[in-house]
Amino acid sequence: MTPDLLRETLKEVLYGPDLRFGLGTGLFSEKEAGLLRAAHALTYAQAVTPAAPGRPSAAGVVIHLRQHLDHAAALLRDPYALRADEPEAWEHAPPTEREWRGELVGLAQAGQALYEALFLPLDSQGLRTAYAAVLHAAYHTGALRFYLGNLQAGQG
């Protein structure tokens, strides 16, 4: 996968597919089905409530993705970059709505950082790292959309 294709795929994962060509779906998603839209659709209460007993909350997924995208972008800039020293995403929930909103901003910034890193000259390991990060984000976006869909179905 080329850096150009990786950038286009990342944009789709973050924002949903580009529908200029008349298609109703993209490689990973449908219209308006990007990661950022799904995450922003969750209320604070929905985000911090686990999907089921023993399962992580949506906030945990968002924090995990922010950390993962940040680290992937850092690795593309410096293959020896270390992960930030932060709480384990799966066990952490933002204690306030303001901190939840901050995580949403951080997620968008992490996506942008990875997008910008995809303009760097990448060797085969860098391409694998970028590809894995984009696929990982697509996987968790699907999980968030599924959780959000269940919440919305329960309200109707």
Side-chain angles (χ1 to χ4, degrees), residues 10 14-15 69 73 77 106-117:
L10 178 61
L14 294 173
Y15 301 106
L69 295 175
R77 283 188 225 83
L107 178 63
Q109 290 170 337
Q112 182 65 35
L114 181 57
Y115 184 81
E116 290 171 4

Side-chain angles (χ1 to χ4, degrees), residues 91-108:
E91 300 164 6
H92 178 71
T96 66
E97 186 168 352
R98 181 180 179 154
E99 289 183 33
W100 166 240
R101 294 290 161 208
E103 284 296 339
L104 293 174
V105 170
L107 178 63

Side-chain angles (χ1 to χ4, degrees), residues 2-21:
T2 67
D4 288 341
L5 186 53
L6 278 169
R7 283 191 298 272
E8 289 303 311
T9 305
L10 178 61
K11 280 183 4 187
E12 179 186 328
V13 170
L14 294 173
Y15 301 106
D18 182 353
L19 300 178
R20 290 179 293 175
F21 306 108

Side-chain angles (χ1 to χ4, degrees), residues 42 46 51-52 142-156:
L42 294 163
Q46 291 169 333
L144 278 177
R145 289 193 59 236
F146 181 77
Y147 177 64
L148 181 61
N150 283 339
L151 289 171
Q152 291 170 340
Q155 294 172 353

Side-chain angles (χ1 to χ4, degrees), residues 13 28 55 61 65 133-145:
V13 170
F28 290 107
R55 303 295 302 157
V61 173
L65 279 175
V134 172
L135 284 179
H136 191 75
Y139 169 81
H140 284 298
T141 298
L144 278 177
R145 289 193 59 236

